[in-house]
Amino acid sequence: MTIETVTVAPAPAGPPDATPATAEDAAAAALAGLADRWLEHGLCTAPADRPAAEAAVREAYVAAGLPAPRHVVWLPSPFAGALAAALLTAAPAGAAGSGPGAPDPAADAPGGTDSGAAPATRTATAIAEVLAALRAQGCNPGEVAPGKAIRGTLRTAPWAAARMAATERLGPAGWAAHWAAGGQRTWNLLVDRVVTPLRTRLADDLVADVRDPLTERARSALFDAVYGLHEAAWLSAFDGDPRLRGLAGVATSAGWWWPYEQVAVLTERPVVAERDNVGRLHRGDGPALAYPDGYGLHVWRGMAIPAEVAQELPRLTVQRIRAEQNAEVRRVMLEHFGYDRYLRDSNARAMHRDECGVLWRIELSDDEPLVMVEVVNSTAEPDGTYRTYWLRVPPDTRTARGGVAWTFGLTEKEYAPLAQT
C-alpha cells in the first residue's frame, strides 16, 4: 500500500532578488504590500488605542461636514455595542433620568436588575452591564439624544467618492487591476471569512435569549455599524486618500463602531482571532474570535458552531457523533475526532484492496457515506517508519486505485504515476 505521486517538472524560478519586469508589476507589488499591512490591521488583537480612535472619529465627522459628536462611549464588543446603540436610540430624550423612580430600559428584560435577582438570560445580563457602562461614561439613555444614524454620510459616501475618483483616474480596466492587487484578497479574508460569520452570529444571538423590542432594535442597529478594523478589507485599496483618513484612523485603532449625530459608540478589538492555513476562522479548543467581555464565535474551519458543541469536541466518542442529528455539525465532529480514528473505532468495512491501498466505507445517517482510502507513504520517515495517510474520496468510489487517482483529478485509467514518493 503506497502513496504514488506524479512527478512534474517545476517551472523555472527567477533569482531571489528579481525585480518586477514592468511599471505595472511594480505597482501591483506595492499594492500587495499595502494590502498585507492592512490585513494585519484587520486581524489585530491588541487593545484599542482609544485616544487615537477618538481623534480619528472626530476627523471623520468633520470630513463628512458634520460637527464632532458630543459624546464618545466605549463598549467591550460588537454585541455590547449593538445593545448600547439600541438603548440610546430606544429612549426619547428626557424620558429617563438617574434619580429615584426613573425608568430603566434593562428592567423590562426577564430577570432584569430588579431586586438583585440573577438575570434569566445572557442577553438580560449584557443589557444591564451595557446600561451601567453608558451611565458610568455620562451617557444615560433617555438623558442623551444620539440623533440620527449617519453611517451613510460618514462611511458610504466617502467610499463611493474615492472609488469614483480612482475609476476616473485609472479607467475601468485599470481600476479592476488596482482592486485585484490591493483589495480583493483583504476583502475575501476579512469580509467573507470574518465579518459575515460575526454579523450572522450577532444577529442570531441578539434574539436567541430575549425577543423583545430592545433586542430587535439591537439587531437592526447592526445596519448602522461601521466595522472599524475590519474596514481594512477595502481601505487597503485606498491607502492615503485624504477623504478616508478619519475612517482609516479608526480602522487602525479600534473595533466596530456606531456613528450617530451626537454620540459615537466605539468598541474594542478582539483579543483572539485564530485562523487556519487558508484564512478561515478556526479553533478547536475555544472561541476562534473573542472579545474582552467574553463574547465570541466558536468556529471550525470557517463553520460557526454552538459553544456547547465546541466544548464537547475534546471529549467526543463514536456514539456521540452518531447521535448528532445536524449533518454539518456531525461533519465538524468527524473532522475534529479524525476520520481514520472514526473508521477504526466504528469497525468500518474494507471495500477493496490493491497496490495503492485500502478502500474503507461506513454509512452515515442523513448524510453521504464516509469513504476513504488508506495509503502508506513509500518513503520512510527519519526514524525508519512509514506514515499512513487517509484520503477522503467520493462515495461512489469503488477501488483504492480509483480513489487515489481522484485526488489527482484523474480517472483510474488515466492514473499512471512515473515515480513513487
Side-chain angles (χ1 to χ4, degrees), residues 65 106 206 223 290-291 363 397 405 409 412:
L206 284 166
F223 292 102
Y291 287 86
E363 302 297 325
T397 302
E412 185 172 353

Side-chain angles (χ1 to χ4, degrees), residues 140-154:
N140 192 18
E143 292 182 346
V144 173
K148 296 179 181 178
I150 55 173
R151 181 184 190 271
T153 303
L154 209 68

Side-chain angles (χ1 to χ4, degrees), residues 282 284 300-301 303 305-342 364 367 370 392:
H282 172 71
W300 179 265
R301 294 182 182 173
M303 178 183 168
I305 56 176
E308 56 270 20
V309 171
Q311 292 168 1
E312 283 189 276
L313 293 181
R315 304 185 301 276
L316 285 175
T317 63
V318 168
Q319 292 73 24
R320 173 64 185 92
I321 295 171
R322 286 176 176 168
E324 177 55 49
Q325 297 299 307
N326 184 302
E328 290 186 339
V329 171
R330 186 167 60 243
R331 289 185 183 184
V332 170
M333 291 178 168
L334 280 167
E335 289 185 3
H336 189 277
F337 190 77
Y339 290 116
D340 53 342
R341 180 183 171 194
Y342 185 82
L364 298 174
D367 200 357
L370 175 59
R392 187 168 188 180

Side-chain angles (χ1 to χ4, degrees), residues 111 138 152 163 222 268 312 339 345 351 359 410:
R163 177 173 177 175
L222 295 175
E268 283 285 339
E312 283 189 276
Y339 290 116
D345 292 359
M351 298 289 295
L359 185 70
L410 303 173

Side-chain angles (χ1 to χ4, degrees), residues 3-18:
I3 288 183
E4 298 177 322
T5 59
V6 178
T7 301
V8 179
D17 58 347

Side-chain angles (χ1 to χ4, degrees), residues 51-114:
E54 292 179 18
V57 164
R58 290 190 288 270
E59 183 173 4
Y61 273 68
V62 172
L66 301 168
R70 296 178 61 188
H71 302 274
V72 177
V73 294
W74 285 88
L75 281 303
S77 69
F79 185 75
L83 290 174
L87 285 164
L88 288 167
T89 58
S98 58
D104 187 341
D108 293 332
T113 57
D114 188 36

Side-chain angles (χ1 to χ4, degrees), residues 5 7 33 38 53 56 80 84 96 107 158 175 189 236 258 265 287 292 310-311 318 372 390-391 395 412:
T5 59
T7 301
W38 274 102
W175 162 250
L189 290 175
S236 60
W258 280 258
V265 177
Q311 292 168 1
V318 168
M372 304 192 78
W390 297 77
L391 311 174
E412 185 172 353

